[in-house]
Amino acid sequence: MEQTFIMIKPDGVQRGLVGEIISRFEKKGFYLKGLKLMAVERSFAEKHYADLSSKPFFPGLVEYIISGPVVAMVWEGKNVVVTGRKIIGATNPAESAPGTIRGDFAIEIGRNVIHGSDSIESARKEIALWFPEGIANWESNLHPWIYE
Ligand code: GDP
Ligand code: MG
């Protein structure tokens, strides 16, 4: 089944939003397949955001991501990449709808609390980068109650 990489950024961890964010993905019916709290090194943050290295905000973005521990996760389910992005909300919290994570918990684009893969291909790359050790292999007993 489809998987996505979700990361709670340092502001989300510092602000005590870890439980709330996990809860939103869990209650939706997605399955948690990988989870760790970790400090990120500069070179690793640069690698994760390599596609944005030419942007003017890139140095600030890297400083932000290494400013404290993050929570890295893998979530699984039907259409989890696109639906995960909807749960997260628009990149700029000023434009994120209420009810989304960024819409409910963030003000500024440079402190937008959470990352989610933007395609199946980037999810695959990001999961490989963040979870080189692999992820958990388990199936939820709730499956028939969530999928028809
Ligand atoms: P995302 O996929 O919605 O997270 O957005 P992007 O992949 O385009 O950008 C990655 C992250 O860089 C965003 O989540 C923001 O934290 C940050 N970012 C993107 N655009 C800007 C910007 O114009 N200014 C600043 N300060 N940060 C930005
Ligand atoms: Mg992105």
Side-chain angles (χ1 to χ4, degrees), residues 48-49 52 85 91 102 115-118 126:
H48 171 73
Y49 280 123
L52 300 173
R85 296 277 293 187
T91 303
R102 287 168 175 166
H115 164 86
S117 305
D118 63 7
E126 290 171 1

Side-chain angles (χ1 to χ4, degrees), residues 40-112:
V40 177
E41 285 183 358
R42 184 177 300 275
S43 58
F44 189 89
E46 287 169 351
K47 200 167 179 190
H48 171 73
Y49 280 123
D51 291 351
L52 300 173
S53 59
S54 63
K55 303 281 186 190
F57 58 82
F58 183 74
L61 174 59
V62 170
E63 290 299 330
Y64 167 39
I65 295 305
I66 67 172
S67 64
V70 302
V71 173
M73 296 179 280
V74 176
W75 287 90
E76 184 178 280
K78 189 177 181 182
N79 296 326
V80 69
V81 171
V82 165
T83 305
R85 296 277 293 187
K86 288 181 185 162
I87 290 170
I88 288 171
T91 303
N92 187 345
E95 287 151 22
S96 317
T100 65
I101 291 167
R102 287 168 175 166
D104 288 349
F105 302 120
I107 304 283
E108 292 207 319
I109 195 165
R111 296 289 184 273
N112 62 358

